[in-house]
Short mmCIF file of all heavy atoms in Angstrom, two decimals:
data_model
loop_
_atom_site.label_atom_id
_atom_site.label_comp_id
_atom_site.label_asym_id
_atom_site.label_seq_id
_atom_site.Cartn_x
_atom_site.Cartn_y
_atom_site.Cartn_z
N SER A 212 4.91 -14.48 3.06
CA SER A 212 3.67 -13.77 3.36
C SER A 212 3.92 -12.46 4.08
O SER A 212 3.21 -11.48 3.86
CB SER A 212 2.74 -14.66 4.20
OG SER A 212 2.44 -15.86 3.53
N ILE A 213 4.90 -12.42 4.94
CA ILE A 213 5.15 -11.21 5.71
C ILE A 213 6.36 -10.44 5.17
O ILE A 213 6.97 -9.66 5.87
CB ILE A 213 5.35 -11.51 7.21
CG1 ILE A 213 6.57 -12.43 7.41
CG2 ILE A 213 4.13 -12.15 7.80
CD1 ILE A 213 6.82 -12.75 8.86
N GLY A 214 6.66 -10.68 3.89
CA GLY A 214 7.78 -9.96 3.27
C GLY A 214 7.58 -8.46 3.29
O GLY A 214 8.53 -7.70 3.41
N PHE A 215 6.33 -8.02 3.15
CA PHE A 215 6.04 -6.59 3.20
C PHE A 215 6.40 -6.02 4.56
O PHE A 215 6.94 -4.92 4.67
CB PHE A 215 4.56 -6.37 2.90
CG PHE A 215 4.13 -4.94 3.08
CD1 PHE A 215 4.47 -3.97 2.15
CD2 PHE A 215 3.39 -4.56 4.18
CE1 PHE A 215 4.06 -2.65 2.31
CE2 PHE A 215 2.97 -3.25 4.34
CZ PHE A 215 3.32 -2.30 3.41
N PHE A 216 6.12 -6.75 5.63
CA PHE A 216 6.42 -6.27 6.97
C PHE A 216 7.92 -6.16 7.20
O PHE A 216 8.37 -5.31 7.96
CB PHE A 216 5.81 -7.20 8.01
CG PHE A 216 4.32 -7.26 7.98
CD1 PHE A 216 3.65 -8.46 7.92
CD2 PHE A 216 3.57 -6.10 7.98
CE1 PHE A 216 2.27 -8.51 7.89
CE2 PHE A 216 2.19 -6.13 7.93
CZ PHE A 216 1.53 -7.35 7.89
N LEU A 217 8.71 -7.03 6.54
CA LEU A 217 10.16 -6.98 6.72
C LEU A 217 10.71 -5.64 6.24
O LEU A 217 11.67 -5.12 6.80
CB LEU A 217 10.82 -8.13 5.95
CG LEU A 217 10.41 -9.55 6.38
CD1 LEU A 217 11.17 -10.59 5.58
CD2 LEU A 217 10.67 -9.76 7.86
N GLY A 218 10.13 -5.09 5.17
CA GLY A 218 10.57 -3.79 4.70
C GLY A 218 10.25 -2.69 5.69
O GLY A 218 11.01 -1.72 5.83
N MET A 219 9.14 -2.82 6.38
CA MET A 219 8.76 -1.81 7.38
C MET A 219 9.76 -1.74 8.51
O MET A 219 9.95 -0.68 9.12
CB MET A 219 7.37 -2.13 7.93
CG MET A 219 6.24 -1.97 6.93
SD MET A 219 4.64 -2.39 7.64
CE MET A 219 4.51 -1.18 8.95
N PHE A 220 10.43 -2.86 8.81
CA PHE A 220 11.37 -2.88 9.92
C PHE A 220 12.58 -1.99 9.66
O PHE A 220 13.25 -1.56 10.60
CB PHE A 220 11.85 -4.31 10.19
CG PHE A 220 10.77 -5.21 10.72
CD1 PHE A 220 10.79 -6.57 10.45
CD2 PHE A 220 9.74 -4.71 11.49
CE1 PHE A 220 9.80 -7.41 10.93
CE2 PHE A 220 8.75 -5.53 11.98
CZ PHE A 220 8.78 -6.88 11.70
N PHE A 221 12.90 -1.71 8.38
CA PHE A 221 14.07 -0.89 8.07
C PHE A 221 13.72 0.59 7.94
O PHE A 221 14.62 1.42 7.91
CB PHE A 221 14.71 -1.37 6.76
CG PHE A 221 15.31 -2.74 6.85
CD1 PHE A 221 14.61 -3.86 6.42
CD2 PHE A 221 16.58 -2.92 7.38
CE1 PHE A 221 15.16 -5.12 6.50
CE2 PHE A 221 17.13 -4.18 7.47
CZ PHE A 221 16.41 -5.28 7.03
N VAL A 222 12.45 0.91 7.86
CA VAL A 222 12.04 2.31 7.70
C VAL A 222 12.50 3.18 8.87
O VAL A 222 12.96 4.31 8.66
CB VAL A 222 10.51 2.40 7.51
CG1 VAL A 222 10.04 3.84 7.56
CG2 VAL A 222 10.10 1.75 6.20
N PRO A 223 12.42 2.74 10.13
CA PRO A 223 12.86 3.61 11.24
C PRO A 223 14.32 4.01 11.16
O PRO A 223 14.71 5.01 11.77
CB PRO A 223 12.59 2.75 12.49
CG PRO A 223 11.49 1.84 12.09
CD PRO A 223 11.76 1.52 10.66
#
Side-chain angles (χ1 to χ4, degrees):
S212 301
I213 61 179
F215 173 75
F216 296 129
L217 299 182
M219 292 179 61
F220 292 150
F221 293 97
V222 171

